PDB file of all heavy atoms in Angstrom:
ATOM      1  N   ALA A 243     -39.770 -48.197  25.898  1.00 59.00           N
ATOM      2  CA  ALA A 243     -40.240 -47.764  27.220  1.00 59.00           C
ATOM      3  C   ALA A 243     -40.747 -46.330  27.112  1.00 59.00           C
ATOM      4  O   ALA A 243     -40.166 -45.506  26.414  1.00 59.00           O
ATOM      5  CB  ALA A 243     -39.098 -47.842  28.230  1.00 59.00           C
ATOM      6  N   THR A 244     -41.842 -46.034  27.805  1.00 59.00           N
ATOM      7  CA  THR A 244     -42.400 -44.684  27.737  1.00 59.00           C
ATOM      8  C   THR A 244     -41.511 -43.712  28.508  1.00 59.00           C
ATOM      9  O   THR A 244     -40.776 -44.124  29.420  1.00 59.00           O
ATOM     10  CB  THR A 244     -43.820 -44.641  28.333  1.00 59.00           C
ATOM     11  OG1 THR A 244     -43.732 -44.892  29.742  1.00 59.00           O
ATOM     12  CG2 THR A 244     -44.720 -45.678  27.682  1.00 59.00           C
ATOM     13  N   PRO A 245     -41.566 -42.400  28.177  1.00 61.00           N
ATOM     14  CA  PRO A 245     -40.751 -41.425  28.910  1.00 61.00           C
ATOM     15  C   PRO A 245     -40.975 -41.467  30.420  1.00 61.00           C
ATOM     16  O   PRO A 245     -40.030 -41.387  31.195  1.00 61.00           O
ATOM     17  CB  PRO A 245     -41.211 -40.087  28.312  1.00 61.00           C
ATOM     18  CG  PRO A 245     -41.665 -40.426  26.927  1.00 61.00           C
ATOM     19  CD  PRO A 245     -42.275 -41.787  27.041  1.00 61.00           C
ATOM     20  N   LYS A 248     -39.262 -44.466  31.914  1.00 68.00           N
ATOM     21  CA  LYS A 248     -37.818 -44.247  31.993  1.00 68.00           C
ATOM     22  C   LYS A 248     -37.467 -43.367  33.186  1.00 68.00           C
ATOM     23  O   LYS A 248     -36.522 -43.621  33.924  1.00 68.00           O
ATOM     24  CB  LYS A 248     -37.310 -43.605  30.700  1.00 68.00           C
ATOM     25  CG  LYS A 248     -37.355 -44.534  29.482  1.00 68.00           C
ATOM     26  CD  LYS A 248     -36.933 -43.780  28.221  1.00 68.00           C
ATOM     27  CE  LYS A 248     -37.008 -44.680  26.996  1.00 68.00           C
ATOM     28  NZ  LYS A 248     -36.710 -43.941  25.752  1.00 68.00           N
ATOM     29  N   GLU A 336     -49.687 -41.003  29.170  1.00 69.00           N
ATOM     30  CA  GLU A 336     -48.708 -39.979  29.532  1.00 69.00           C
ATOM     31  C   GLU A 336     -47.785 -39.639  28.373  1.00 69.00           C
ATOM     32  O   GLU A 336     -47.369 -38.508  28.202  1.00 69.00           O
ATOM     33  CB  GLU A 336     -47.921 -40.491  30.747  1.00 69.00           C
ATOM     34  CG  GLU A 336     -46.764 -39.615  31.188  1.00 69.00           C
ATOM     35  CD  GLU A 336     -45.485 -39.896  30.410  1.00 69.00           C
ATOM     36  OE1 GLU A 336     -45.286 -41.038  29.972  1.00 69.00           O
ATOM     37  OE2 GLU A 336     -44.698 -38.961  30.247  1.00 69.00           O
ATOM     38  N   THR A 337     -47.467 -40.661  27.529  1.00 77.00           N
ATOM     39  CA  THR A 337     -46.565 -40.439  26.396  1.00 77.00           C
ATOM     40  C   THR A 337     -47.096 -39.346  25.477  1.00 77.00           C
ATOM     41  O   THR A 337     -46.326 -38.579  24.902  1.00 77.00           O
ATOM     42  CB  THR A 337     -46.383 -41.743  25.599  1.00 77.00           C
ATOM     43  OG1 THR A 337     -46.001 -42.788  26.496  1.00 77.00           O
ATOM     44  CG2 THR A 337     -45.307 -41.592  24.541  1.00 77.00           C
ATOM     45  N   LEU A 338     -48.405 -39.277  25.333  1.00 79.00           N
ATOM     46  CA  LEU A 338     -49.015 -38.243  24.492  1.00 79.00           C
ATOM     47  C   LEU A 338     -48.565 -36.850  24.890  1.00 79.00           C
ATOM     48  O   LEU A 338     -48.420 -35.965  24.045  1.00 79.00           O
ATOM     49  CB  LEU A 338     -50.546 -38.320  24.597  1.00 79.00           C
ATOM     50  CG  LEU A 338     -51.248 -39.348  23.716  1.00 79.00           C
ATOM     51  CD1 LEU A 338     -52.677 -39.522  24.165  1.00 79.00           C
ATOM     52  CD2 LEU A 338     -51.204 -38.919  22.268  1.00 79.00           C
ATOM     53  N   GLY A 339     -48.361 -36.666  26.194  1.00 78.00           N
ATOM     54  CA  GLY A 339     -48.027 -35.328  26.692  1.00 78.00           C
ATOM     55  C   GLY A 339     -46.707 -34.789  26.195  1.00 78.00           C
ATOM     56  O   GLY A 339     -46.511 -33.575  26.142  1.00 78.00           O
ATOM     57  N   CYS A 340     -45.764 -35.681  25.835  1.00 84.00           N
ATOM     58  CA  CYS A 340     -44.464 -35.182  25.372  1.00 84.00           C
ATOM     59  C   CYS A 340     -44.237 -35.486  23.890  1.00 84.00           C
ATOM     60  O   CYS A 340     -43.109 -35.449  23.410  1.00 84.00           O
ATOM     61  CB  CYS A 340     -43.318 -35.743  26.216  1.00 84.00           C
ATOM     62  SG  CYS A 340     -43.266 -37.523  26.312  1.00 84.00           S
ATOM     63  N   THR A 341     -45.330 -35.786  23.169  1.00 88.00           N
ATOM     64  CA  THR A 341     -45.229 -36.025  21.729  1.00 88.00           C
ATOM     65  C   THR A 341     -44.730 -34.774  21.010  1.00 88.00           C
ATOM     66  O   THR A 341     -45.250 -33.680  21.222  1.00 88.00           O
ATOM     67  CB  THR A 341     -46.606 -36.421  21.159  1.00 88.00           C
ATOM     68  OG1 THR A 341     -47.025 -37.628  21.792  1.00 88.00           O
ATOM     69  CG2 THR A 341     -46.543 -36.633  19.664  1.00 88.00           C
ATOM     70  N   THR A 342     -43.722 -34.946  20.162  1.00 91.00           N
ATOM     71  CA  THR A 342     -43.170 -33.804  19.428  1.00 91.00           C
ATOM     72  C   THR A 342     -43.502 -33.860  17.939  1.00 91.00           C
ATOM     73  O   THR A 342     -43.487 -32.847  17.261  1.00 91.00           O
ATOM     74  CB  THR A 342     -41.636 -33.749  19.581  1.00 91.00           C
ATOM     75  OG1 THR A 342     -41.078 -34.984  19.108  1.00 91.00           O
ATOM     76  CG2 THR A 342     -41.233 -33.541  21.034  1.00 91.00           C
ATOM     77  N   VAL A 343     -43.792 -35.082  17.442  1.00 93.00           N
ATOM     78  CA  VAL A 343     -44.131 -35.251  16.025  1.00 93.00           C
ATOM     79  C   VAL A 343     -45.329 -36.194  15.912  1.00 93.00           C
ATOM     80  O   VAL A 343     -45.340 -37.248  16.547  1.00 93.00           O
ATOM     81  CB  VAL A 343     -42.952 -35.829  15.209  1.00 93.00           C
ATOM     82  CG1 VAL A 343     -43.375 -36.062  13.765  1.00 93.00           C
ATOM     83  CG2 VAL A 343     -41.755 -34.909  15.253  1.00 93.00           C
ATOM     84  N   ILE A 344     -46.325 -35.792  15.131  1.00 92.00           N
ATOM     85  CA  ILE A 344     -47.435 -36.682  14.803  1.00 92.00           C
ATOM     86  C   ILE A 344     -47.338 -37.028  13.326  1.00 92.00           C
ATOM     87  O   ILE A 344     -47.432 -36.150  12.469  1.00 92.00           O
ATOM     88  CB  ILE A 344     -48.807 -36.033  15.102  1.00 92.00           C
ATOM     89  CG1 ILE A 344     -48.945 -35.707  16.588  1.00 92.00           C
ATOM     90  CG2 ILE A 344     -49.940 -36.961  14.656  1.00 92.00           C
ATOM     91  CD1 ILE A 344     -50.222 -34.960  16.938  1.00 92.00           C
ATOM     92  N   CYS A 345     -47.095 -38.303  13.027  1.00 92.00           N
ATOM     93  CA  CYS A 345     -47.094 -38.774  11.638  1.00 92.00           C
ATOM     94  C   CYS A 345     -48.501 -39.264  11.343  1.00 92.00           C
ATOM     95  O   CYS A 345     -48.914 -40.319  11.835  1.00 92.00           O
ATOM     96  CB  CYS A 345     -46.089 -39.907  11.453  1.00 92.00           C
ATOM     97  SG  CYS A 345     -44.387 -39.399  11.716  1.00 92.00           S
ATOM     98  N   ILE A 609     -45.882 -28.953  18.225  1.00 89.00           N
ATOM     99  CA  ILE A 609     -45.904 -30.319  17.695  1.00 89.00           C
ATOM    100  C   ILE A 609     -45.909 -30.251  16.172  1.00 89.00           C
ATOM    101  O   ILE A 609     -46.730 -29.562  15.579  1.00 89.00           O
ATOM    102  CB  ILE A 609     -47.152 -31.084  18.191  1.00 89.00           C
ATOM    103  CG1 ILE A 609     -47.151 -31.157  19.722  1.00 89.00           C
ATOM    104  CG2 ILE A 609     -47.202 -32.492  17.599  1.00 89.00           C
ATOM    105  CD1 ILE A 609     -48.450 -31.674  20.304  1.00 89.00           C
ATOM    106  N   ARG A 610     -44.997 -30.985  15.557  1.00 91.00           N
ATOM    107  CA  ARG A 610     -44.926 -30.998  14.093  1.00 91.00           C
ATOM    108  C   ARG A 610     -45.810 -32.111  13.550  1.00 91.00           C
ATOM    109  O   ARG A 610     -45.829 -33.218  14.093  1.00 91.00           O
ATOM    110  CB  ARG A 610     -43.473 -31.205  13.649  1.00 91.00           C
ATOM    111  CG  ARG A 610     -43.241 -31.075  12.150  1.00 91.00           C
ATOM    112  CD  ARG A 610     -41.792 -30.673  11.872  1.00 91.00           C
ATOM    113  NE  ARG A 610     -40.856 -31.617  12.404  1.00 91.00           N
ATOM    114  CZ  ARG A 610     -40.201 -32.536  11.678  1.00 91.00           C
ATOM    115  NH1 ARG A 610     -40.413 -32.607  10.386  1.00 91.00           N
ATOM    116  NH2 ARG A 610     -39.343 -33.347  12.231  1.00 91.00           N
ATOM    117  N   VAL A 678     -40.418 -43.589  11.332  1.00 92.00           N
ATOM    118  CA  VAL A 678     -40.538 -43.558  12.796  1.00 92.00           C
ATOM    119  C   VAL A 678     -39.165 -43.728  13.446  1.00 92.00           C
ATOM    120  O   VAL A 678     -38.793 -42.970  14.353  1.00 92.00           O
ATOM    121  CB  VAL A 678     -41.513 -44.650  13.288  1.00 92.00           C
ATOM    122  CG1 VAL A 678     -41.460 -44.763  14.811  1.00 92.00           C
ATOM    123  CG2 VAL A 678     -42.925 -44.341  12.842  1.00 92.00           C
ATOM    124  N   LEU A 681     -36.893 -40.602  13.003  1.00 93.00           N
ATOM    125  CA  LEU A 681     -37.306 -39.499  13.882  1.00 93.00           C
ATOM    126  C   LEU A 681     -36.920 -39.788  15.328  1.00 93.00           C
ATOM    127  O   LEU A 681     -36.491 -38.889  16.061  1.00 93.00           O
ATOM    128  CB  LEU A 681     -38.816 -39.265  13.768  1.00 93.00           C
ATOM    129  CG  LEU A 681     -39.296 -38.654  12.447  1.00 93.00           C
ATOM    130  CD1 LEU A 681     -40.805 -38.753  12.319  1.00 93.00           C
ATOM    131  CD2 LEU A 681     -38.869 -37.186  12.342  1.00 93.00           C
ATOM    132  N   GLN A 682     -37.067 -41.041  15.762  1.00 91.00           N
ATOM    133  CA  GLN A 682     -36.702 -41.401  17.127  1.00 91.00           C
ATOM    134  C   GLN A 682     -35.200 -41.250  17.355  1.00 91.00           C
ATOM    135  O   GLN A 682     -34.775 -40.879  18.458  1.00 91.00           O
ATOM    136  CB  GLN A 682     -37.152 -42.829  17.435  1.00 91.00           C
ATOM    137  CG  GLN A 682     -38.656 -42.953  17.616  1.00 91.00           C
ATOM    138  CD  GLN A 682     -39.117 -44.390  17.778  1.00 91.00           C
ATOM    139  OE1 GLN A 682     -38.439 -45.323  17.352  1.00 91.00           O
ATOM    140  NE2 GLN A 682     -40.273 -44.586  18.378  1.00 91.00           N
ATOM    141  N   HIS A 683     -34.389 -41.490  16.308  1.00 90.00           N
ATOM    142  CA  HIS A 683     -32.940 -41.294  16.431  1.00 90.00           C
ATOM    143  C   HIS A 683     -32.602 -39.815  16.614  1.00 90.00           C
ATOM    144  O   HIS A 683     -31.525 -39.484  17.101  1.00 90.00           O
ATOM    145  CB  HIS A 683     -32.222 -41.854  15.193  1.00 90.00           C
ATOM    146  CG  HIS A 683     -32.161 -43.342  15.187  1.00 90.00           C
ATOM    147  ND1 HIS A 683     -32.152 -44.091  14.026  1.00 90.00           N
ATOM    148  CD2 HIS A 683     -32.147 -44.238  16.204  1.00 90.00           C
ATOM    149  CE1 HIS A 683     -32.120 -45.378  14.338  1.00 90.00           C
ATOM    150  NE2 HIS A 683     -32.118 -45.496  15.647  1.00 90.00           N
ATOM    151  N   GLN A 684     -33.518 -38.944  16.195  1.00 90.00           N
ATOM    152  CA  GLN A 684     -33.318 -37.506  16.400  1.00 90.00           C
ATOM    153  C   GLN A 684     -33.964 -37.039  17.706  1.00 90.00           C
ATOM    154  O   GLN A 684     -34.228 -35.861  17.898  1.00 90.00           O
ATOM    155  CB  GLN A 684     -33.889 -36.734  15.213  1.00 90.00           C
ATOM    156  CG  GLN A 684     -33.150 -36.995  13.908  1.00 90.00           C
ATOM    157  CD  GLN A 684     -33.540 -36.042  12.800  1.00 90.00           C
ATOM    158  OE1 GLN A 684     -34.444 -35.221  12.938  1.00 90.00           O
ATOM    159  NE2 GLN A 684     -32.850 -36.129  11.684  1.00 90.00           N
ATOM    160  N   ASN A 685     -34.236 -38.021  18.604  1.00 88.00           N
ATOM    161  CA  ASN A 685     -34.807 -37.739  19.921  1.00 88.00           C
ATOM    162  C   ASN A 685     -36.208 -37.139  19.868  1.00 88.00           C
ATOM    163  O   ASN A 685     -36.600 -36.384  20.756  1.00 88.00           O
ATOM    164  CB  ASN A 685     -33.885 -36.822  20.736  1.00 88.00           C
ATOM    165  CG  ASN A 685     -32.544 -37.455  21.017  1.00 88.00           C
ATOM    166  OD1 ASN A 685     -32.481 -38.608  21.439  1.00 88.00           O
ATOM    167  ND2 ASN A 685     -31.471 -36.727  20.745  1.00 88.00           N
ATOM    168  N   GLU A 686     -36.936 -37.465  18.816  1.00 90.00           N
ATOM    169  CA  GLU A 686     -38.332 -37.044  18.738  1.00 90.00           C
ATOM    170  C   GLU A 686     -39.205 -38.114  19.399  1.00 90.00           C
ATOM    171  O   GLU A 686     -38.896 -39.296  19.368  1.00 90.00           O
ATOM    172  CB  GLU A 686     -38.775 -36.879  17.277  1.00 90.00           C
ATOM    173  CG  GLU A 686     -37.944 -35.923  16.451  1.00 90.00           C
ATOM    174  CD  GLU A 686     -38.269 -34.456  16.717  1.00 90.00           C
ATOM    175  OE1 GLU A 686     -39.039 -34.177  17.656  1.00 90.00           O
ATOM    176  OE2 GLU A 686     -37.741 -33.598  15.984  1.00 90.00           O
ATOM    177  N   VAL A 687     -40.292 -37.667  20.018  1.00 90.00           N
ATOM    178  CA  VAL A 687     -41.303 -38.595  20.536  1.00 90.00           C
ATOM    179  C   VAL A 687     -42.408 -38.656  19.486  1.00 90.00           C
ATOM    180  O   VAL A 687     -43.071 -37.654  19.221  1.00 90.00           O
ATOM    181  CB  VAL A 687     -41.862 -38.130  21.895  1.00 90.00           C
ATOM    182  CG1 VAL A 687     -42.945 -39.089  22.385  1.00 90.00           C
ATOM    183  CG2 VAL A 687     -40.740 -38.035  22.910  1.00 90.00           C
ATOM    184  N   VAL A 688     -42.574 -39.826  18.867  1.00 92.00           N
ATOM    185  CA  VAL A 688     -43.377 -39.938  17.654  1.00 92.00           C
ATOM    186  C   VAL A 688     -44.714 -40.633  17.917  1.00 92.00           C
ATOM    187  O   VAL A 688     -44.754 -41.723  18.492  1.00 92.00           O
ATOM    188  CB  VAL A 688     -42.616 -40.727  16.562  1.00 92.00           C
ATOM    189  CG1 VAL A 688     -43.411 -40.759  15.264  1.00 92.00           C
ATOM    190  CG2 VAL A 688     -41.240 -40.113  16.333  1.00 92.00           C
ATOM    191  N   ALA A 689     -45.792 -39.980  17.482  1.00 91.00           N
ATOM    192  CA  ALA A 689     -47.111 -40.618  17.433  1.00 91.00           C
ATOM    193  C   ALA A 689     -47.398 -40.928  15.966  1.00 91.00           C
ATOM    194  O   ALA A 689     -47.220 -40.072  15.105  1.00 91.00           O
ATOM    195  CB  ALA A 689     -48.175 -39.689  18.003  1.00 91.00           C
ATOM    196  N   MET A 690     -47.804 -42.160  15.680  1.00 90.00           N
ATOM    197  CA  MET A 690     -48.080 -42.575  14.307  1.00 90.00           C
ATOM    198  C   MET A 690     -49.524 -43.059  14.207  1.00 90.00           C
ATOM    199  O   MET A 690     -49.973 -43.838  15.037  1.00 90.00           O
ATOM    200  CB  MET A 690     -47.119 -43.697  13.892  1.00 90.00           C
ATOM    201  CG  MET A 690     -47.489 -44.441  12.605  1.00 90.00           C
ATOM    202  SD  MET A 690     -47.413 -43.416  11.115  1.00 90.00           S
ATOM    203  CE  MET A 690     -45.652 -43.466  10.738  1.00 90.00           C
ATOM    204  N   ALA A 704     -43.707 -46.973  16.889  1.00 89.00           N
ATOM    205  CA  ALA A 704     -43.852 -45.589  17.351  1.00 89.00           C
ATOM    206  C   ALA A 704     -43.951 -45.527  18.870  1.00 89.00           C
ATOM    207  O   ALA A 704     -44.332 -46.501  19.528  1.00 89.00           O
ATOM    208  CB  ALA A 704     -45.088 -44.956  16.719  1.00 89.00           C
ATOM    209  N   ASN A 705     -43.602 -44.363  19.431  1.00 87.00           N
ATOM    210  CA  ASN A 705     -43.752 -44.165  20.871  1.00 87.00           C
ATOM    211  C   ASN A 705     -45.205 -44.335  21.282  1.00 87.00           C
ATOM    212  O   ASN A 705     -45.512 -44.838  22.359  1.00 87.00           O
ATOM    213  CB  ASN A 705     -43.259 -42.765  21.277  1.00 87.00           C
ATOM    214  CG  ASN A 705     -41.792 -42.583  20.980  1.00 87.00           C
ATOM    215  OD1 ASN A 705     -41.421 -42.134  19.905  1.00 87.00           O
ATOM    216  ND2 ASN A 705     -40.927 -42.969  21.904  1.00 87.00           N
ATOM    217  N   ILE A 706     -46.102 -43.863  20.406  1.00 88.00           N
ATOM    218  CA  ILE A 706     -47.521 -44.133  20.613  1.00 88.00           C
ATOM    219  C   ILE A 706     -48.184 -44.380  19.268  1.00 88.00           C
ATOM    220  O   ILE A 706     -48.185 -43.520  18.393  1.00 88.00           O
ATOM    221  CB  ILE A 706     -48.222 -42.999  21.397  1.00 88.00           C
ATOM    222  CG1 ILE A 706     -49.716 -43.264  21.470  1.00 88.00           C
ATOM    223  CG2 ILE A 706     -47.966 -41.641  20.775  1.00 88.00           C
ATOM    224  CD1 ILE A 706     -50.402 -42.483  22.557  1.00 88.00           C
ATOM    225  N   PRO A 811     -43.666 -29.027  23.875  1.00 82.00           N
ATOM    226  CA  PRO A 811     -43.618 -30.343  24.536  1.00 82.00           C
ATOM    227  C   PRO A 811     -42.443 -30.403  25.501  1.00 82.00           C
ATOM    228  O   PRO A 811     -41.393 -29.824  25.242  1.00 82.00           O
ATOM    229  CB  PRO A 811     -43.405 -31.319  23.363  1.00 82.00           C
ATOM    230  CG  PRO A 811     -43.835 -30.576  22.140  1.00 82.00           C
ATOM    231  CD  PRO A 811     -43.539 -29.132  22.409  1.00 82.00           C
ATOM    232  N   ARG A 812     -42.655 -31.082  26.601  1.00 75.00           N
ATOM    233  CA  ARG A 812     -41.557 -31.192  27.568  1.00 75.00           C
ATOM    234  C   ARG A 812     -40.444 -32.062  26.995  1.00 75.00           C
ATOM    235  O   ARG A 812     -40.674 -32.881  26.112  1.00 75.00           O
ATOM    236  CB  ARG A 812     -42.057 -31.781  28.884  1.00 75.00           C
ATOM    237  CG  ARG A 812     -42.335 -33.257  28.843  1.00 75.00           C
ATOM    238  CD  ARG A 812     -42.702 -33.795  30.221  1.00 75.00           C
ATOM    239  NE  ARG A 812     -42.698 -35.231  30.230  1.00 75.00           N
ATOM    240  CZ  ARG A 812     -43.701 -35.993  29.835  1.00 75.00           C
ATOM    241  NH1 ARG A 812     -44.804 -35.413  29.400  1.00 75.00           N
ATOM    242  NH2 ARG A 812     -43.617 -37.303  29.870  1.00 75.00           N
ATOM    243  N   LYS A 813     -39.248 -31.846  27.490  1.00 73.00           N
ATOM    244  CA  LYS A 813     -38.109 -32.620  27.015  1.00 73.00           C
ATOM    245  C   LYS A 813     -38.234 -34.061  27.486  1.00 73.00           C
ATOM    246  O   LYS A 813     -38.681 -34.335  28.598  1.00 73.00           O
ATOM    247  CB  LYS A 813     -36.812 -32.018  27.548  1.00 73.00           C
ATOM    248  CG  LYS A 813     -36.585 -30.583  27.093  1.00 73.00           C
ATOM    249  CD  LYS A 813     -35.404 -29.966  27.814  1.00 73.00           C
ATOM    250  CE  LYS A 813     -35.247 -28.490  27.445  1.00 73.00           C
ATOM    251  NZ  LYS A 813     -34.167 -27.849  28.204  1.00 73.00           N
ATOM    252  N   VAL A 814     -37.825 -34.959  26.605  1.00 65.00           N
ATOM    253  CA  VAL A 814     -37.903 -36.384  26.942  1.00 65.00           C
ATOM    254  C   VAL A 814     -37.046 -36.688  28.163  1.00 65.00           C
ATOM    255  O   VAL A 814     -37.389 -37.520  28.990  1.00 65.00           O
ATOM    256  CB  VAL A 814     -37.445 -37.240  25.741  1.00 65.00           C
ATOM    257  CG1 VAL A 814     -37.576 -38.713  26.061  1.00 65.00           C
ATOM    258  CG2 VAL A 814     -38.267 -36.905  24.509  1.00 65.00           C
ATOM    259  N   GLY A 815     -35.920 -35.997  28.279  1.00 65.00           N
ATOM    260  CA  GLY A 815     -35.005 -36.267  29.379  1.00 65.00           C
ATOM    261  C   GLY A 815     -35.345 -35.543  30.664  1.00 65.00           C
ATOM    262  O   GLY A 815     -34.619 -35.655  31.642  1.00 65.00           O
ATOM    263  N   LYS A1001     -32.582 -30.128  22.259  1.00 38.00           N
ATOM    264  CA  LYS A1001     -33.733 -29.695  23.025  1.00 38.00           C
ATOM    265  C   LYS A1001     -33.521 -28.341  23.663  1.00 38.00           C
ATOM    266  O   LYS A1001     -34.381 -27.791  24.253  1.00 38.00           O
ATOM    267  CB  LYS A1001     -34.072 -30.737  24.105  1.00 38.00           C
ATOM    268  CG  LYS A1001     -34.357 -32.116  23.511  1.00 38.00           C
ATOM    269  CD  LYS A1001     -35.642 -32.108  22.725  1.00 38.00           C
ATOM    270  CE  LYS A1001     -35.958 -33.451  22.119  1.00 38.00           C
ATOM    271  NZ  LYS A1001     -37.115 -33.456  21.291  1.00 38.00           N
TER     272      LYS A1001
END
Side-chain angles (χ1 to χ4, degrees):
T244 67
K248 291 176 181 175
E336 174 275 330
T337 308
L338 277 167
C340 55
T341 299
T342 58
V343 177
I344 299 175
C345 295
I609 300 170
R610 187 155 59 103
V678 171
L681 289 167
Q682 287 174 337
H683 285 150
Q684 294 191 355
N685 297 312
E686 304 282 8
V687 178
V688 184
M690 167 66 82
N705 298 91
I706 175 161
R812 74 175 192 277
K813 299 171 185 176
V814 182
K1001 302 292 180 184

